[in-house]
Amino acid sequence: MIHPVILCGGSGTRLWPSSRKAYPKQFAPLIGRESLYQRTLRRFSGGGFAAPLVMTGNEFRFMATEQAAEIGLSDARVVVEPLGRDTAPAILAAALLLERDDPEALMLVAPSDHVIADLPAFLAAVEAGRPAACAGALVTFGITPDRPETGYGYLELTAPPAGTAPVPLTSFREKPDLATARAMLAAGTYLWNAGIFLFRAADAIAAFETHAPELLAPCRAAIAEGQTDLGFFRLAEAAYAGARAISFDYAVMEKADRVMAVPLEGGWSDLGSWDALWAAAGPDAAGVVTDGAVTAIDCRDSYLRSEDESMQLVGLGLEGVVAVAMRDAVLVADKSRAQEVKTVVETLRADGIAQADQYPRFHRPWGWYETLCLGTRFQVKRIMVKPGGVLSLQSHHHRSEHWIVVSGTAEVTIGEEVRLVTENQSVYIPLGTVHRMANPGKLPMYLIEVQTGAYLGEDDIVRYQDIYDRT
């Protein structure tokens, strides 16, 4: 039995504006209707795989469980990292958790935001790496390069690969310049580093003891002091903060002795940039990919995407362009510079622009909300509360609210009164009044909220009770 460990805490800034800190790319439906995270869960849902162990951040814990449940995979174990520490502490914590039940547990570590088009080829590669992993090797998977790519790191092998047979590694190489990438492609002894690993939990821990022993104490303490919380296992924050942030490659793989690489040819992409998504989506004969409410006229070699059905994106005579339109932000970029979109986010952050990190739709454990209109003393929101969803019992110091139900039925608490509010009915919540909203029905409930007051920030919430433990 193989134990999938899914790393689900990245921010994916190179796919801005679709991917942002508040809603990273692994949870977004970038290809098809399912998110990349859901596609990853499906990849590991067949026979021979145990329930996945999902390592994610505190802000994404509900999203991880909800998206798993949406596709019928609610057995996923979600481990909450209280703060980001890169991949090495996350993988070590997962290994320590698995070792408690079975030191021989075979763990397959994979990012949650990659695409693998050929699942049988991927599973065959995993099986090819199993004997080496069971024999104590640390196995990584590399993609057979088909072009001189400068956006990926490389694995240098001791010999050219033959099929899916594991090959010993010579070194890990950073992202090269174009001339070096061409030389690597010509040499035939290099693979792209996919960031996917297979090994026994005990062997991973032993490698940490040898090469990164300083991480063991804080990770062990974070587990020992951790707590089960609403179905999640939450690592202890104070202890986990003591683990330095470092990638698994730097901490262990580049230093370990018994490292093997399995070649993988499975239509893999890390979707690390818009041009990578363009390639994975399958351009038409003119090299054009469109997604959403898009019209492309006489365009070539371009990616055009609209994420708002009310926003029609039209491309006329474009060549080598990426255009992504959302309700609150639009990106227009030279496709050849798609790897530089991360600098856009850095620039926006430096200028204090909220769209750098905030998403127009704010996801919460009970559903979501989005701002439709914002003025100096008023704000209009659209709110969706999922079936069974319950907002916290709360009050506000600086604003009053009107709620108008437009679909479904809301159970509303205002002070001591509890009543049902149905479609086209409304209620008023005076400033300072304790209130709560819930959806007792079996369908999503939608309402319009109109706020008025001197201050409309989300931090003007005093919580008294919360079923999601956010008090």
Side-chain angles (χ1 to χ4, degrees):
M1 189 71 72
I2 295 177
H3 296 262
V5 175
I6 300 175
L7 305 179
C8 197
S11 59
T13 54
R14 288 184 177 86
L15 288 181
W16 185 90
S18 295
S19 174
R20 310 187 199 181
K21 183 178 180 181
Y23 190 64
K25 69 173 182 174
Q26 60 266 32
F27 297 113
L30 294 174
I31 298 180
R33 294 189 175 185
E34 291 186 349
S35 71
L36 300 178
Y37 167 65
Q38 289 173 318
R39 292 164 66 108
T40 302
L41 288 174
R42 285 197 187 279
R43 196 174 302 139
F44 302 129
S45 62
F49 289 107
L53 187 68
V54 179
M55 307 294 296
T56 193
N58 182 64
E59 61 272 35
F60 306 131
R61 65 195 190 280
F62 292 105
M63 203 175 299
T65 55
E66 288 169 9
Q67 289 202 359
E70 285 175 6
I71 58 172
L73 299 175
S74 55
D75 61 344
R77 299 167 57 195
V78 176
V79 178
V80 177
E81 295 181 85
L83 64 169
R85 280 296 179 261
D86 215 325
T87 54
I91 291 173
L92 176 56
L96 291 168
L97 286 168
L98 292 173
E99 186 203 30
R100 296 195 303 186
D101 298 326
D102 179 13
E104 299 296 308
L106 199 59
M107 51 192 292
L108 178 62
V109 180
S112 60
D113 55 359
H114 290 187
V115 167
I116 297 177
D118 190 343
L119 181 58
F122 172 73
L123 296 178
V126 171
E127 286 303 310
R130 184 197 288 261
C134 290
L138 304 181
V139 176
T140 186
F141 295 84
I143 311 304
T144 303
D146 57 6
R147 63 185 184 275
E149 176 62 56
T150 60
Y152 300 145
Y154 284 70
L155 308 174
E156 183 179 6
L157 311 180
T158 58
T164 57
V167 183
L169 239 67
T170 296
S171 66
F172 287 74
R173 301 286 293 271
E174 296 294 331
K175 297 176 183 178
D177 56 30
L178 184 57
T180 304
R182 286 173 175 160
M184 289 175 167
L185 182 63
T189 55
Y190 290 88
L191 303 173
W192 293 335
N193 186 357
I196 303 172
F197 310 98
L198 180 69
F199 36 67
R200 293 181 304 191
D203 294 325
I205 295 168
F208 275 101
E209 289 173 342
T210 301
H211 303 293
E214 73 282 359
L215 297 178
L216 285 160
C219 286
R220 282 185 170 133
I223 292 173
E225 300 167 16
Q227 296 181 344
T228 299
D229 174 17
L230 298 176
F232 314 107
F233 181 75
R234 188 186 297 275
L235 299 171
E237 181 172 358
Y240 201 63
R244 68 182 175 120
I246 185 172
S247 75
F248 183 59
D249 279 354
Y250 287 152
V252 172
M253 295 298 285
E254 293 185 1
K255 304 172 184 176
D257 297 325
R258 300 189 63 188
V259 178
M260 307 285 285
V262 174
L264 172 62
E265 296 183 8
W268 171 91
S269 174
D270 71 344
L271 295 187
S273 62
W274 284 114
D275 58 335
L277 185 58
W278 167 85
D284 64 15
V288 175
V289 171
T290 63
D291 194 339
V294 173
T295 300
I297 303 171
D298 194 25
C299 295
R300 299 180 59 82
D301 189 33
S302 296
Y303 182 89
L304 308 177
R305 179 186 185 93
S306 173
E307 294 207 5
D308 191 323
E309 60 185 15
S310 65
M311 180 178 293
Q312 185 70 27
L313 174 62
V314 179
L316 174 61
L318 301 178
E319 184 168 357
V321 169
V322 170
V324 182
M326 298 187 67
R327 185 163 56 84
D328 68 332
V330 177
L331 170 71
V332 181
D334 188 315
K335 184 165 162 285
S336 67
R337 301 184 63 180
Q339 293 283 352
E340 301 176 42
V341 171
K342 185 177 181 179
T343 63
V344 171
V345 179
E346 294 170 352
T347 301
L348 294 177
R349 283 176 181 163
D351 292 341
I353 296 174
Q355 285 92 329
D357 296 308
Q358 292 185 9
Y359 203 72
R361 178 169 291 179
F362 293 81
H363 293 266
R364 295 293 184 263
W366 44 260
W368 52 258
Y369 74 87
E370 56 189 4
T371 297
L372 303 179
C373 184
L374 177 63
T376 54
R377 290 184 59 88
F378 72 92
Q379 180 171 208
V380 181
K381 291 181 178 180
R382 181 167 68 140
I383 298 176
M384 187 280 286
V385 183
K386 64 185 181 182
V390 182
L391 280 69
S392 60
L393 186 67
Q394 59 185 255
S395 66
H396 309 293
H397 292 301
H398 302 288
R399 69 176 185 252
S400 59
E401 297 173 343
H402 281 90
W403 293 343
I404 304 99
V405 175
V406 295
S407 179
T409 299
E411 181 185 85
V412 174
T413 300
I414 303 177
E416 299 297 323
E417 180 187 7
V418 180
R419 61 185 169 116
L420 295 179
V421 181
T422 59
E423 184 175 319
N424 206 33
Q425 293 182 331
S426 63
V427 294
Y428 172 65
I429 299 96
L431 184 151
T433 302
V434 176
H435 60 281
R436 175 157 55 191
M437 177 200 319
N439 179 2
K442 296 182 179 180
L443 297 174
M445 182 268 291
Y446 293 85
L447 62 86
I448 301 299
E449 178 181 87
V450 180
Q451 304 175 351
T452 56
Y455 179 73
L456 305 172
E458 285 303 302
D459 54 347
D460 181 24
I461 297 178
V462 180
R463 287 194 175 96
Y464 304 99
Q465 296 176 9
D466 184 39
I467 68 169
Y468 308 109
D469 197 25
R470 295 173 299 161
T471 54

